[in-house]
Amino acid sequence: MEITPKVYGATPSFSDAICVHIPGAIGDTIVALSEILNLAHKETIFVISSNKCKQERLDMCFAFRMCKTVLDFSDTSLASYRKEYPHESLKQHIGDKYGCELIAYEPRHHIDIDNLKHFSESDFSFSESRFCFDSKYVLAQPVTRCYKPARHKKDFPFFRELSCHIAEVTKLPIYTIGHQNDVEALKSIRGGIKNNLAGRTTILEAMHLVANAELVISTTTWSGLFAAAMNRKVCMLFNKRETPFYWYFEKLGGYSPGIIKEITNELEARKYFNSIMKRR
């Protein structure tokens, strides 16, 4: 049976091209894009093979300057289904049909952290955002996981105290971003928060806000990684220090004081924030 992927963007030539698989999660995608900056081929063709975060990944790919074409195998027999990474048969198919090598970056398993590069503003084209601020600001993504009770371990238990201290020290407004399902939970947070943008931004608008913030504080993977990759001052709270993302994050210059549960009161929150502000 003929396998025909959907083609987004420009029609590829496959001449001196290389295909790069984009993983099925936003954090993985950011790490993969950081390593893709090392590629020197005439044409880089992006490949996706699952529907997980599909629209967000497509938006991110086409905002990335090296992406002109995406081949989408998510609705073919070569789809990854629940796996985030491609089957060997997908690599073989691309080699046989298009004569191209398929590189599959798998951040959760193996990426050479020495190959990671910082993004520059010219690496992305975010187009016009509805949320652009003339003055400096702090951006926070305190994921509540209120819609997934089993994942409350990733909550920001001290965010109220920390936000008040950030506002006091920096004299900067704080904006929060997050999932639509975070909206109600974040409404209860007061203190140093200037505006709650949870549920109101697209992924590209959120990335634009991260890229231009004076400081980013996050408990979710993608915003912390992207801030570090953009060389912004950032701190991220991992609930498991051994996560491979910690090593990518640290290599890119990010900072994490350890596990979330270690910071449970206002004094510890202040110490945490002060330690961040001393870094670069």
Side-chain angles (χ1 to χ4, degrees):
M1 186 177 71
E2 181 71 15
I3 297 173
T4 305
K6 292 180 182 177
V7 179
Y8 297 96
T11 301
S13 67
F14 298 107
S15 175
D16 191 27
I18 190 167
C19 291
V20 178
H21 185 264
I22 301 300
I26 297 176
D28 300 75
T29 298
I30 288 170
V31 176
L33 293 181
S34 176
E35 182 149 329
I36 287 170
L37 288 171
N38 289 291
L39 297 179
H41 285 70
K42 180 179 179 181
E43 184 174 5
T44 303
I45 300 168
F46 288 34
V47 176
I48 60 175
S49 60
S50 77
N51 285 312
K52 182 177 181 182
C53 303
K54 181 174 175 177
Q55 190 57 55
E56 287 85 351
R57 285 184 293 138
L58 284 172
D59 289 345
M60 290 170 67
C61 286
F62 283 113
F64 189 56
R65 66 173 174 82
M66 293 181 67
C67 178
K68 300 294 186 294
T69 305
V70 175
L71 300 182
D72 177 10
F73 288 87
S74 59
D75 294 321
T76 73
S77 60
L78 294 176
S80 300
Y81 297 105
R82 294 179 181 175
K83 292 181 62 179
E84 294 178 359
Y85 308 110
H87 298 294
E88 288 298 318
S89 54
L90 178 58
K91 295 183 182 181
Q92 182 176 344
H93 173 78
I94 287 177
D96 293 344
K97 184 171 182 177
Y98 304 116
C100 290
E101 177 188 2
L102 175 67
I103 297 177
Y105 292 116
E106 301 182 8
R108 294 178 190 272
H109 300 292
H110 51 79
I111 272 187
D112 186 349
I113 61 174
D114 291 327
N115 285 338
L116 298 180
K117 288 190 175 181
H118 286 112
F119 298 125
S120 66
E121 291 186 16
S122 61
D123 288 325
F124 288 89
S125 175
F126 294 117
S127 67
E128 190 167 339
S129 174
R130 295 170 296 165
F131 305 100
C132 294
F133 309 114
D134 294 331
S135 57
K136 296 179 180 180
Y137 59 91
V138 173
L139 189 74
Q141 188 169 16
V143 178
T144 65
R145 309 288 178 180
C146 59
Y147 52 100
K148 292 184 179 179
R151 301 185 70 182
H152 271 308
K153 61 186 179 182
K154 284 195 173 183
D155 281 1
F156 233 126
F158 60 95
F159 187 73
R160 189 189 312 272
E161 292 82 7
L162 182 57
S163 64
C164 289
H165 185 56
I166 293 171
E168 177 185 327
V169 173
T170 66
K171 311 300 183 186
L172 296 177
I174 301 172
Y175 294 87
T176 56
I177 57 173
H179 192 276
Q180 177 64 40
N181 292 322
D182 290 329
V183 173
E184 291 303 318
L186 291 178
K187 280 182 180 178
S188 64
I189 297 177
R190 295 292 183 268
I193 299 177
K194 174 71 174 180
N195 201 356
N196 181 8
L197 303 179
R200 296 171 56 191
T201 64
T202 65
I203 184 64
L204 295 186
E205 287 172 334
M207 290 172 71
H208 184 264
L209 287 169
V210 169
N212 289 279
E214 283 295 299
L215 169 69
V216 176
I217 302 178
S218 175
T219 59
T220 193
T221 306
W222 83 260
S223 56
L225 280 171
F226 187 60
M230 290 296 293
N231 211 21
R232 310 306 297 171
K233 183 171 285 188
V234 54
C235 55
M236 185 171 173
L237 295 172
F238 291 94
N239 66 312
K240 289 186 177 179
R241 194 174 179 87
E242 66 272 16
T243 175
F245 284 118
Y246 175 80
W247 305 113
Y248 306 141
F249 176 74
E250 188 178 57
K251 178 65 178 181
L252 289 167
Y255 174 64
S256 174
I259 300 172
I260 292 176
K261 66 182 181 181
E262 295 176 352
I263 303 174
T264 57
N265 59 58
E266 184 176 357
L267 178 60
E268 289 174 346
R270 287 173 178 267
K271 289 180 179 178
Y272 169 58
F273 177 71
N274 292 337
S275 66
I276 298 159
M277 296 304 291
K278 290 178 182 177
R279 300 189 43 115
R280 69 165 186 269

